[in-house]
Amino acid sequence: AQTVTQSQPEMSVQEAETVTLSCTYDTSESDYYLFWYKQPPSRQMILVIRQEAYKQQNATENRFSVNFQKAAKSFSLKISDSQLGDAAMYFCAYRSSWETSYDKVIFGPGTSLSVIP
Amino acid sequence: KAGVTQTPRYLIKTRGQQVTLSCSPISGHRSVSWYQQTPGQGLQFLFEYFSETQRNKGNFPGRFSGRQFSNSRSEMNVSTLELGDSALYLCASSLAEVYEQFFGPGTRLTVL
């Protein structure tokens, strides 16, 4: 069974600085998808970024980028120029390919990010 | 395009009662998943439906059940409520396959 680990329960960053959130996963599959979700205090879960395992190029969305290391099964999220609105719980998630497990998604335990003004 | 909606947003029940939660996916989305979120256990997968068929089920007792209708709306039911069922229940929808999930605001269930 797949597992997702986020070793940092809490992190903090100064406004305008850069922070990296860690995520590792365990799987025997070769085709899968990885996501970072953000859950602000309002509780609405929002997709931040996604990565297809077959793509070697790291995904980027504005100030958010990932470092995807498939061999190491690592998927870290880098937030540049941190803003107060980035304060939230961040979840790393793994999803098997449709052919194997349809729409089942495994979430990590989350990292609570605080942004210091 | 309207997002995922969940009703009710808040619910208070007593032990032994049953509850039904509703989820309306984004228009065109045929896959609906349910999650239970608690401070201690985090986000746990309950089940997933696609075209009215349950495709995956998490490790929850039989008291938790669900269904999906032909219009892709989904309901989950919890019977014989226990104190430990108090949680935020999240619904997520997706187009299929490679597409990411879009989450609703959740239903906060409190069992007294």
Side-chain angles (χ1 to χ4, degrees):
Chain A
Q2 296 83 15
T3 58
V4 177
T5 303
Q6 294 177 251
S7 59
Q8 307 148 316
E10 297 179 353
M11 291 196 71
S12 62
V13 61
Q14 290 285 144
E15 196 175 1
E17 296 296 310
T18 295
V19 64
T20 299
L21 309 184
S22 301
C23 172
T24 58
Y25 57 95
D26 187 27
T27 184
S28 57
E29 298 174 337
S30 60
D31 189 17
Y32 51 86
Y33 306 91
L34 297 165
F35 306 91
W36 277 99
Y37 283 91
K38 167 186 176 181
Q39 190 177 39
S42 66
R43 311 298 270 184
Q44 184 94 31
M45 192 87 73
I46 305 165
L47 176 71
V48 175
I49 199 165
R50 79 174 200 185
Q51 174 82 43
E52 291 88 343
Y54 64 86
K55 290 186 178 179
Q56 292 187 330
Q57 185 174 6
N58 290 323
T60 299
E61 285 288 341
N62 301 314
R63 298 182 296 106
F64 299 88
S65 62
V66 298
N67 183 4
F68 173 49
Q69 302 290 327
K70 190 172 183 179
K73 296 178 184 175
S74 171
F75 183 61
S76 61
L77 174 70
K78 185 172 82 171
I79 306 174
S80 304
D81 186 25
S82 296
Q83 301 175 0
L84 295 177
D86 295 334
M89 182 72 83
Y90 286 81
F91 293 96
C92 177
Y94 171 102
R95 176 180 173 177
S96 298
S97 65
W98 181 261
E99 289 76 20
T100 58
S101 292
Y102 301 111
D103 208 13
K104 183 174 182 178
V105 180
I106 309 298
F107 284 84
T111 295
S112 179
L113 178 67
S114 301
V115 180
I116 304 166
Chain B
K1 187 181 271 191
V4 178
T5 58
Q6 291 185 246
T7 57
R9 293 292 310 278
Y10 302 91
L11 208 50
I12 300 175
K13 293 286 188 178
T14 56
R15 278 182 300 174
Q17 288 187 307
Q18 74 163 16
V19 67
T20 299
L21 312 182
S22 180
C23 171
S24 292
I26 292 173
S27 177
H29 286 194
R30 295 165 63 190
S31 177
V32 174
S33 297
W34 288 89
Y35 298 87
Q36 181 195 66
Q37 187 176 26
T38 59
Q41 299 296 319
L43 269 163
Q44 291 189 285
F45 172 79
L46 278 158
F47 26 65
E48 181 259 336
Y49 288 88
F50 182 79
S51 293
E52 302 179 65
T53 301
Q54 186 180 90
R55 296 298 182 97
N56 273 301
K57 190 177 192 305
N59 189 25
F60 278 82
R63 300 185 297 107
F64 291 81
S65 62
R67 58 179 176 168
Q68 186 180 34
F69 302 95
S70 58
N71 61 357
S72 294
R73 190 177 69 85
S74 178
E75 289 182 347
M76 66 163 282
N77 183 276
V78 188
S79 62
T80 320
L81 284 166
E82 300 178 359
L83 295 179
D85 296 335
S86 295
L88 181 69
Y89 290 88
L90 293 170
C91 166
S93 76
S94 67
L95 273 170
E97 304 183 32
V98 303
Y99 296 100
E100 61 268 18
Q101 293 182 328
F102 294 85
F103 283 80
T107 293
R108 169 73 63 186
L109 172 64
T110 301
V111 182
L112 303 176

